[in-house]
Amino acid sequence: MNAFLQGLLLGFSAAVPIGPVNVMIMSAAINSFRSAFAIGLGAMSADVAYLLLLAFGVLGYLQGEIIEKIIGAFGFCYLAYISYVIFKNADKPIRAQAQGVQANFTKNYAKGLFVTLVNPYTVGFWLSVASFAKSFENAGAVVAGLVAAIFIWIASMPFAVHKSAKFISQNVAKWINYVCAVILLGFAFFLSYKLFL
């Protein structure tokens, strides 16, 4: 039980801080819980994929400098693109956006999946989790707690944002989207700076 709780705490500490995926989830949640949840589920699927790669000893091969730069270049391009899309659609009416976005569960899932897969820091996170989990006799319980925490976060955070969205005016929603777009672009440039300079 102690190992599971430790994994739970580690999972929340990884999932809660503001990062590109959380910004995307918050932006989508204003219009649609389903879309925001799909983004979170995609991100969690990428985490599970990295976890499986770690279990089979493949993740260590993704640590090389050239590989990190290739992944980082894709990450920069994709984050910049998502930032542009959010900025372009920021002024659309909330209801109109919600109707269009609801049908795109798969598209939003792919967004969350891809952004997490092309984030080289995800590789570093899972490698550090591996060394942490090894200190427990029941490493499986640590991982289970970690995955449970990520799932709780990707379900509860967009739900809370979506339920409070009815109190947000169209003008405020527009500016929230502008801020989210700028933050994502900032993450893109920060990623590029850390990897290439």
Side-chain angles (χ1 to χ4, degrees):
M1 189 63 179
N2 185 43
F4 180 81
L5 290 175
Q6 290 279 351
L8 208 62
L9 288 172
L10 182 63
F12 281 122
S13 68
V16 172
I18 298 296
V21 172
N22 277 339
V23 172
M24 287 168 58
I25 289 172
M26 285 186 274
S27 178
I30 292 171
N31 304 307
S32 163
F33 166 75
R34 189 170 180 264
S35 298
F37 180 69
I39 292 169
L41 201 59
M44 188 173 125
S45 299
D47 285 330
V48 170
Y50 275 129
L51 183 60
L52 291 172
L53 290 174
L54 184 63
F56 289 105
V58 178
L59 197 59
Y61 294 108
L62 298 178
Q63 273 191 295
E65 189 178 338
I66 294 172
I67 299 291
E68 279 187 5
K69 287 186 176 181
I70 291 170
I71 294 171
F74 278 108
F76 170 81
C77 293
Y78 196 70
L79 285 174
Y81 169 74
I82 295 295
S83 175
Y84 164 74
V85 170
I86 291 173
F87 192 84
K88 188 179 81 167
N89 295 322
D91 206 18
K92 284 188 179 176
I94 292 174
R95 286 184 184 175
Q97 272 191 329
Q99 289 170 358
V101 173
Q102 282 281 10
N104 292 323
F105 187 91
T106 305
K107 186 178 176 182
N108 286 294
Y109 175 88
K111 279 184 191 176
L113 179 72
F114 194 71
V115 164
T116 307
L117 283 176
V118 298
N119 185 350
Y121 298 112
T122 307
V123 177
F125 169 74
W126 282 107
L127 287 170
S128 63
V129 164
S131 59
F132 175 79
K134 283 176 187 174
S135 64
F136 285 88
E137 287 181 20
N138 193 352
V142 175
V143 171
L146 197 144
V147 172
I150 293 171
F151 183 81
I152 291 167
W153 178 253
I154 64 163
S156 60
M157 186 268 280
F159 181 79
V161 172
H162 182 67
K163 285 299 177 185
S164 60
K166 58 186 170 188
F167 304 109
I168 299 173
S169 70
Q170 180 62 45
N171 193 47
V172 170
K174 175 181 77 173
W175 282 102
I176 288 173
N177 279 323
Y178 284 150
V179 169
C180 286
V182 169
I183 291 171
L184 280 178
L185 195 59
F187 277 120
F189 280 110
F190 179 75
L191 177 64
S192 179
Y193 173 80
K194 291 292 279 183
L195 288 173
F196 297 102
L197 296 177

